[in-house]
Amino acid sequence: MTALEKYVPILKWGRTYNPALFGRDMMAAIIVTIMLIPQSLAYALLAGLPPEVGLYASILPLIAYAIFGSSTSLAVGPVAVVSLMTAAAVGRIAAEGTADYATAAIMLAFLSGLILVGMGLLRLGFVANFLSHPVISGFITASGLIIATSQVGGLLGIGTYGHAMPELLGSIWASLSQINFYTLAVGMASLMALLWIRLDMKKRLIAIRIPAPVATTLVRAGPVVVVLLAIGASALFDLGGKGVALVGDVPQGLPPLSVPVFNLDVMAALIGPAFIISIIGFVESISVAQTLAAKKRERINPDQELVGLGASNIAAAIGSGYPVTGGFARSVVNHDAGAATPAAGAFTAIGIAGATLLLTPFLALLPKATLAATIVIAVLTLVDFSILKKAFAYSRADFAAVIITLGVTLVLGVEVGVLSGVVASILVFLYRTSKPHTAIVGQVPGTEHFRNVLRHEVETHPEIVSIRVDESLYFANARFLEDCIYERVSGRPEVKHVILMCPAVNAIDMSALESLEAINERLKDLGITFHLSEVKGPVMDKLRATQFFAHLTGRIFLSQHEAVSALNGKNNR
Amino acid sequence: MTALEKYVPILKWGRTYNPALFGRDMMAAIIVTIMLIPQSLAYALLAGLPPEVGLYASILPLIAYAIFGSSTSLAVGPVAVVSLMTAAAVGRIAAEGTADYATAAIMLAFLSGLILVGMGLLRLGFVANFLSHPVISGFITASGLIIATSQVGGLLGIGTYGHAMPELLGSIWASLSQINFYTLAVGMASLMALLWIRLDMKKRLIAIRIPAPVATTLVRAGPVVVVLLAIGASALFDLGGKGVALVGDVPQGLPPLSVPVFNLDVMAALIGPAFIISIIGFVESISVAQTLAAKKRERINPDQELVGLGASNIAAAIGSGYPVTGGFARSVVNHDAGAATPAAGAFTAIGIAGATLLLTPFLALLPKATLAATIVIAVLTLVDFSILKKAFAYSRADFAAVIITLGVTLVLGVEVGVLSGVVASILVFLYRTSKPHTAIVGQVPGTEHFRNVLRHEVETHPEIVSIRVDESLYFANARFLEDCIYERVSGRPEVKHVILMCPAVNAIDMSALESLEAINERLKDLGITFHLSEVKGPVMDKLRATQFFAHLTGRIFLSQHEAVSALNGKNNR
């Protein structure tokens, strides 16, 4: 594999492309296109952008991903959480519906693209690791709730604003008297229809002897039928004239190419959000890509995925779109429909481009309430409170991280929410490792094993204190170790030796080394010698490079058994 | 020990106080008083406050510490680093020399006192652990350099400003033409005299057959003699009339009692700095206290120390002072001079109170350059570049933490500096643990030991991959582990079993548990069973509470040897 092939995977798989693969990719593309049309329109509205921008964001980004992406199943495009984050970030610097708002969304995609490509080239994919599972779960659930709530206005025909719960609920409450009942009817009908399609339709189709694969495909086309029915109803009953908000005129044709407008103030305001969106988008995308790759026994290269997603976002900026990432539902559909190479994405792009050329005139009459219903149904899968129960049962630390992320995201919004979660999970981790598990150990009679005196029947010697510490030693627990050892020897004049048993010490940093030196000095003042046992190879290498062994009053023993035998023997002599 | 005795240690040691202890405490108090007078005046100037405030800060805080403190050696009062931090914090909201400035310094002491007492009562002393040794060393060295540089103006008779290097050096350079040569002469003479006292005087005294203890005491009184000589010279040569800055009129009498002025804006501006000052002051103080306690075979209770220092700072606020903490040099002197109980501090306070009543009229003529020289000599001991070499030799991570703290403190000031250091050392730690050491292991022939295949001659079986991971598994390395395992099995269809050897895994958090579940699922898709060996007791307890074992395709083995024997045997059947 050449370097170019590494960064441009299409050069590799493109060489062996053949009609069989083409057929599979084409089939997948048709199904994903049908699924993507209503979603693209709806997510653009969620992002505060005109609906056609959703279609634009589903054309060039897919082609860019087909060239630079490494997953054969991932389907990129507008997704719910990133759309909400776009609305929150752009809404802070421009008013919805203005040209500045659209320009800022394009800049956000561009910055996000640069960040992702940069992280990919610098191999910084590991940064995503700092989003722990509880943080992601809490964040996604909170985002789903916020998104669903933000669509309540669309379903009731009232205006709402805000990207966090207090503002949203307040604005719903304030305009509750202005409900448009025609809109409510359309919204509820769409919601019911979409729910039925999701929960019941396949069963019914199979009951009337339609083969399962055909039924699955029909279910996937279901939302498009709802959209068509809503357009029909809108025309038939003149819903627009009755105060139901319609999508309105949508420009027909391919997306106008755009160049990001380089305004330093706007860039400064968007760079932070762009970073958070990039990381969230990457984490969402890579987990889907890895899950689907495993099913095909393929491997995903996270750094190349960063490049692929980055290229998609730069393409989104060029094609008048907004930030995109790999979507979970559409990728699963793409995979199930048999997509064999990233070309399936390119064919989807062609399908969406066709839609923007041919279908847009019909969209003018589509009630926005139907799109709101589409979003509500789509995000319901994001909301998962079971993580709360699971985390509570597993550990208080993980539970705290979920609760903080969930709560802060709901109350203060997506960016503060995810940052709080990351900070909380890091602090919780540091706190836990700052109070490591320690045990006084003794010898299991008749063996060379040493175990916790509190849990086992073991032999100890009054003049020897053996302490095992079950954690790497570093700055946050260095002082704890000092306290722990002084406590075990204070008021016990019979103690002659302290042995620190280190089989679980994977590293000793400089602060911990200082503490070990302080312990050695203070024990020396008390007439106690200080020994280490079962020190790991890499840790020994580090310690050997210092003066520690020169000052150590005691010795280093390969095993605890050796240590106790030697010291006990010495005292008996 | 009752709860009250725990929080008010004087109730305990006071009961057994006797004339012998009184004599020892009295002797120590006299020596510390003599040492403290010039230092208190000088540090107040460093903090941007009138010199008498330094004396005030050496009265009530010492009495408060005698009541609430737990160290029998610690001497509290104004110290260099905290004075610099006070100047940086207060200088941001008020101009030096104004009433607002003094009020803000009092509020800073008050807030710092509340924070310290609060942390003590909530047992939050562990927060100080997040200041790693490299961060403290880098910070103290940088602070020493900044303080010494800030005194250059005083030694040259020019005005300087700023609390970080670029500003300080710029202001020195800008007014270099205005050097007052009389000031320069006084400054240099004071500097030389103080240096001689520190480096040479004791040797000379012993050479003329003065007993060593007497010589030590005379050396400690030396700086007071320099102050007296400077006052004499000032009167004799009318230095004030020649443009040498003098201390000027100092109010005679005990400190006026003050109540902090509760201004919300000021409090909001000072709460952050107060927190940082509290932590830095506590860390400085507790290390001195613990070192000296160890020499007396006593133990320091960190949480009670927080209460003691907090009470001292609240007392400083009431007594028109500014933030205080335990000083290194004076505590060592106090200890060496035989202080037996915290009463020594109370007697020192009485000494300083006497000085404010009797000596202040003489201070008017003292050149400020002499105080600047006192500061320069005192902070030279703070500057220690050997940490750079030591950290570089030990680990790049620790070196990075030193360099970042040192550099940022010098360039951007104390608060940003210490925060950058803390953040850097946490990130470095997370980065290190996010890429843990892993090894493929094999059996050392003829033993039950398993070692790294790269380091040892060992036996392996083609259908078994044994991976040992030398780190707790948590969110930052969960994905790394997944990648690591997939890499070891991809393209090796002969692999039937993966054994994860966990003797160094001290914890598994929820993110890592998710990863283990994902690994299990994906290996299952590949027809590979997944096993764990040598899982620690506490980790097993956690895992047992989950569904993990129910889904695990393989088994849990007590030892790696057992695992390989069982799996190898199974395959041979």
Side-chain angles (χ1 to χ4, degrees):
Chain A
M1 191 163 72
T2 65
L4 193 62
E5 278 176 353
K6 190 179 157 209
Y7 288 112
V8 190
I10 194 175
L11 296 179
K12 199 164 168 235
W13 61 260
R15 220 180 285 147
T16 55
Y17 205 63
N18 60 42
L21 295 173
F22 173 80
R24 287 176 60 189
D25 287 344
M26 205 59 209
M27 190 61 216
I30 291 169
I31 294 171
V32 173
T33 303
I34 292 171
M35 177 183 177
L36 211 50
I37 292 173
Q39 280 199 2
S40 297
L41 298 169
Y43 290 150
L45 289 182
L46 173 58
L49 290 160
E52 69 271 17
V53 174
L55 295 175
Y56 298 167
S58 305
I59 302 175
L60 289 191
L62 279 69
I63 292 176
Y65 187 82
I67 298 171
F68 295 101
S70 69
S71 163
T72 57
S73 304
L74 198 72
V76 301
V79 305
V81 172
V82 169
S83 298
L84 172 68
M85 296 180 82
T86 299
V90 176
R92 223 177 295 128
I93 60 168
E96 237 179 72
T98 62
D100 281 354
Y101 192 95
T103 318
I106 287 172
M107 175 52 81
L108 192 63
F110 185 70
L111 291 174
S112 173
L114 287 188
I115 291 169
L116 287 163
V117 170
M119 287 177 65
L121 296 181
L122 297 172
R123 310 178 68 78
L124 293 178
F126 72 89
V127 170
N129 297 348
F130 293 114
L131 284 180
S132 68
H133 183 79
V135 168
I136 296 170
S137 302
F139 177 73
I140 297 286
T141 290
S143 298
L145 290 173
I146 293 172
I147 293 170
T149 311
S150 74
Q151 299 308 307
V152 169
L155 292 171
L156 300 179
I158 59 179
T160 60
Y161 52 88
H163 309 108
M165 280 302 191
E167 223 182 345
L168 274 171
L169 293 175
S171 71
I172 292 172
W173 179 251
S175 40
L176 214 49
S177 59
Q178 295 150 33
I179 291 183
N180 178 303
F181 289 93
Y182 294 97
T183 306
L184 181 59
V186 174
M188 289 303 126
S190 305
L191 212 51
M192 291 300 127
L194 290 167
L195 259 185
W196 179 79
I197 289 167
R198 169 156 301 195
L199 301 179
D200 204 34
M201 182 173 159
K202 190 172 170 183
K203 223 182 310 169
R204 297 294 167 115
L205 291 176
I206 289 172
I208 57 170
R209 301 210 179 152
I210 289 174
V214 178
T216 304
T217 306
L218 289 175
V219 166
R220 279 172 191 155
V224 166
V225 176
V226 173
V227 165
L228 294 176
L229 288 175
I231 292 173
S234 174
L236 200 61
F237 304 114
D238 182 27
L239 291 177
K242 299 194 170 69
V244 176
L246 305 181
V247 166
D249 281 336
V250 175
Q252 198 172 356
L254 292 175
L257 295 191
S258 61
V259 175
V261 182
F262 292 94
N263 175 322
L264 275 184
D265 286 346
V266 171
M267 287 171 77
L270 292 179
I271 189 79
F275 183 73
I276 302 179
I277 288 176
S278 300
I279 300 284
I280 294 280
F282 173 61
V283 168
E284 192 174 342
S285 192
I286 192 85
S287 3
V288 184
Q290 282 180 333
T291 305
L292 297 180
K295 296 200 182 187
K296 294 185 185 175
R297 308 207 172 181
E298 294 171 351
R299 268 179 60 70
I300 293 294
N301 172 351
D303 292 316
Q304 183 56 30
E305 274 304 287
L306 284 165
V307 174
L309 286 179
S312 297
N313 276 289
I314 293 173
I318 292 171
S320 301
Y322 74 104
V324 296
T325 192
F328 179 71
R330 72 192 64 165
S331 299
V332 172
V333 168
N334 197 33
H335 174 265
D336 290 353
T341 75
F347 301 151
T348 306
I350 294 169
I352 303 277
T356 63
L357 284 171
L358 305 173
L359 301 183
T360 40
F362 304 99
L363 293 176
L365 290 175
L366 174 63
K368 285 185 175 176
T370 301
L371 292 180
T374 306
I375 296 178
V376 170
I377 297 297
V379 299
L380 282 184
T381 53
L382 301 183
V383 177
D384 174 16
F385 285 109
S386 74
I387 181 72
L388 283 176
K389 202 180 143 197
K390 210 172 155 190
F392 187 79
Y394 191 64
S395 89
R396 279 181 303 171
D398 287 305
F399 183 68
V402 181
I403 280 288
I404 289 170
T405 314
L406 184 70
V408 177
T409 304
L410 285 178
V411 176
L412 298 177
V414 281
E415 288 158 15
V416 186
V418 73
L419 290 179
S420 307
V422 169
V423 170
S425 51
I426 290 175
L427 289 183
V428 155
F429 171 71
L430 293 175
Y431 178 75
R432 187 180 60 65
T433 54
S434 78
K435 303 200 166 175
H437 181 248
T438 60
I440 296 288
V441 294
Q443 189 162 15
V444 181
T447 74
E448 296 191 1
H449 294 298
F450 284 76
R451 293 287 147 81
N452 191 340
V453 295
L454 300 179
R455 290 198 181 200
H456 303 266
E457 283 285 334
V458 291
E459 283 170 1
T460 56
H461 305 280
E463 72 281 8
I464 300 175
V465 172
S466 299
I467 302 177
R468 193 190 69 216
V469 54
D470 290 347
E471 193 68 66
S472 291
L473 301 178
Y474 77 113
F475 61 89
N477 60 28
R479 211 178 296 268
F480 175 90
L481 180 70
E482 289 188 48
D483 284 346
C484 170
I485 289 184
Y486 301 148
E487 205 169 280
R488 301 291 162 84
V489 300
S490 73
R492 292 183 55 190
E494 74 279 13
V495 174
K496 296 276 173 292
H497 306 285
V498 168
I499 308 169
L500 187 66
M501 192 179 164
C502 305
V505 175
N506 298 309
I508 292 180
D509 82 352
M510 205 166 154
S511 304
L513 177 64
E514 287 287 327
S515 282
L516 291 179
E517 282 169 355
I519 290 167
N520 183 51
E521 281 307 308
R522 291 187 197 167
L523 290 181
K524 189 171 155 189
D525 286 347
L526 297 172
I528 299 174
T529 54
F530 183 45
H531 312 265
L532 304 183
S533 76
E534 307 193 7
V535 181
K536 296 197 162 188
V539 176
M540 274 302 283
D541 292 347
K542 283 256 179 191
L543 292 181
R544 264 198 213 98
T546 70
Q547 291 297 306
F548 179 64
F549 292 151
H551 300 145
L552 189 65
T553 52
R555 292 164 53 193
I556 309 286
F557 295 99
L558 277 178
S559 78
Q560 176 66 16
H561 178 248
E562 201 182 304
V564 170
S565 309
L567 298 175
N568 196 35
K570 203 183 336 184
N571 282 299
N572 290 343
R573 246 174 264 154
Chain B
M1 189 164 72
T2 66
L4 194 61
E5 278 176 354
K6 189 180 154 207
Y7 289 112
V8 191
I10 195 174
L11 296 178
K12 201 167 167 230
W13 62 259
R15 219 179 287 147
T16 55
Y17 205 62
N18 60 42
L21 293 175
F22 174 80
R24 288 176 59 190
D25 286 345
M26 205 61 207
M27 189 60 215
I30 290 168
I31 293 171
V32 173
T33 302
I34 291 171
M35 177 184 179
L36 211 49
I37 292 172
Q39 280 199 1
S40 298
L41 299 169
Y43 290 150
L45 289 183
L46 172 58
L49 292 160
E52 69 271 16
V53 174
L55 296 174
Y56 297 167
S58 306
I59 303 175
L60 289 191
L62 280 69
I63 292 176
Y65 187 83
I67 298 171
F68 295 101
S70 69
S71 164
T72 57
S73 304
L74 199 71
V76 300
V79 305
V81 172
V82 169
S83 298
L84 171 69
M85 297 179 83
T86 300
V90 176
R92 222 176 297 126
I93 60 167
E96 237 178 71
T98 62
D100 281 353
Y101 192 97
T103 318
I106 288 171
M107 176 51 82
L108 192 63
F110 185 71
L111 290 175
S112 174
L114 288 187
I115 290 169
L116 287 163
V117 170
M119 285 176 64
L121 297 180
L122 297 173
R123 312 176 68 75
L124 293 179
F126 72 90
V127 171
N129 297 346
F130 293 114
L131 284 180
S132 67
H133 183 78
V135 169
I136 296 169
S137 302
F139 178 72
I140 297 287
T141 291
S143 299
L145 289 174
I146 293 173
I147 293 169
T149 309
S150 75
Q151 300 308 307
V152 169
L155 291 172
L156 300 180
I158 59 178
T160 59
Y161 53 86
H163 309 107
M165 280 301 188
E167 223 180 349
L168 274 170
L169 292 176
S171 71
I172 291 172
W173 178 253
S175 40
L176 213 50
S177 59
Q178 296 150 34
I179 291 183
N180 180 303
F181 289 94
Y182 295 98
T183 308
L184 180 60
V186 175
M188 288 304 126
S190 305
L191 212 51
M192 292 300 128
L194 290 167
L195 257 185
W196 180 80
I197 290 167
R198 169 156 301 192
L199 300 178
D200 205 32
M201 183 174 158
K202 191 172 171 183
K203 226 183 305 169
R204 300 291 167 117
L205 291 175
I206 289 172
I208 57 170
R209 298 204 182 156
I210 291 175
V214 179
T216 302
T217 306
L218 288 176
V219 166
R220 278 171 192 156
V224 165
V225 176
V226 173
V227 165
L228 293 177
L229 288 176
I231 292 172
S234 174
L236 200 60
F237 304 113
D238 183 23
L239 291 177
K242 298 198 170 66
V244 176
L246 304 180
V247 166
D249 281 338
V250 174
Q252 197 172 359
L254 292 175
L257 295 191
S258 60
V259 174
V261 182
F262 294 93
N263 174 324
L264 275 186
D265 286 345
V266 170
M267 289 172 74
L270 292 178
I271 189 80
F275 182 74
I276 301 179
I277 289 177
S278 301
I279 299 285
I280 294 280
F282 173 60
V283 169
E284 191 173 344
S285 191
I286 191 85
S287 1
V288 184
Q290 282 180 333
T291 304
L292 296 179
K295 297 198 180 186
K296 295 185 184 173
R297 306 203 177 188
E298 295 171 352
R299 269 178 59 72
I300 293 293
N301 173 351
D303 292 317
Q304 184 55 31
E305 272 306 287
L306 283 165
V307 174
L309 285 181
S312 297
N313 276 289
I314 292 172
I318 293 170
S320 302
Y322 75 102
V324 296
T325 192
F328 178 71
R330 73 192 62 166
S331 299
V332 172
V333 168
N334 196 33
H335 173 265
D336 289 354
T341 74
F347 301 152
T348 305
I350 293 168
I352 302 277
T356 64
L357 284 171
L358 305 173
L359 300 183
T360 41
F362 303 98
L363 292 176
L365 290 176
L366 175 63
K368 286 187 174 175
T370 301
L371 292 179
T374 307
I375 295 178
V376 170
I377 298 296
V379 298
L380 282 186
T381 54
L382 301 183
V383 178
D384 174 16
F385 285 110
S386 73
I387 180 72
L388 283 177
K389 203 180 140 197
K390 208 171 157 192
F392 187 79
Y394 191 64
S395 88
R396 280 180 302 171
D398 287 303
F399 182 68
V402 181
I403 280 287
I404 288 171
T405 314
L406 183 69
V408 177
T409 305
L410 285 179
V411 175
L412 298 178
V414 281
E415 287 158 15
V416 186
V418 74
L419 290 179
S420 307
V422 169
V423 170
S425 52
I426 290 175
L427 289 184
V428 155
F429 171 72
L430 292 176
Y431 179 74
R432 189 180 59 66
T433 54
S434 78
K435 303 199 165 175
H437 181 247
T438 59
I440 295 288
V441 295
Q443 190 161 13
V444 181
T447 73
E448 296 192 1
H449 294 298
F450 284 76
R451 292 289 147 78
N452 192 340
V453 294
L454 300 178
R455 290 199 181 201
H456 303 267
E457 283 284 331
V458 291
E459 284 171 3
T460 56
H461 305 279
E463 72 282 7
I464 300 175
V465 172
S466 299
I467 302 177
R468 193 189 71 216
V469 55
D470 291 346
E471 194 67 68
S472 291
L473 301 178
Y474 78 113
F475 61 87
N477 60 27
R479 212 178 295 268
F480 176 89
L481 180 70
E482 288 188 49
D483 284 346
C484 169
I485 289 183
Y486 302 149
E487 204 169 281
R488 302 289 162 88
V489 300
S490 72
R492 292 183 55 189
E494 73 278 14
V495 173
K496 297 274 176 295
H497 306 285
V498 169
I499 308 168
L500 187 67
M501 193 179 163
C502 306
V505 175
N506 298 310
I508 293 181
D509 82 351
M510 204 163 156
S511 304
L513 177 64
E514 288 286 329
S515 282
L516 291 178
E517 281 170 355
I519 290 168
N520 183 51
E521 282 305 310
R522 291 187 197 167
L523 291 180
K524 188 169 153 190
D525 287 346
L526 297 174
I528 299 172
T529 53
F530 183 44
H531 312 265
L532 304 183
S533 76
E534 306 192 8
V535 181
K536 297 195 160 187
V539 176
M540 276 301 283
D541 293 348
K542 282 259 179 182
L543 291 181
R544 264 198 212 97
T546 71
Q547 290 297 303
F548 179 64
F549 292 150
H551 299 143
L552 189 65
T553 52
R555 290 163 55 191
I556 309 287
F557 294 98
L558 277 179
S559 77
Q560 176 67 17
H561 178 249
E562 201 182 306
V564 170
S565 310
L567 298 175
N568 196 33
K570 204 184 332 184
N571 283 300
N572 292 344
R573 248 176 262 152

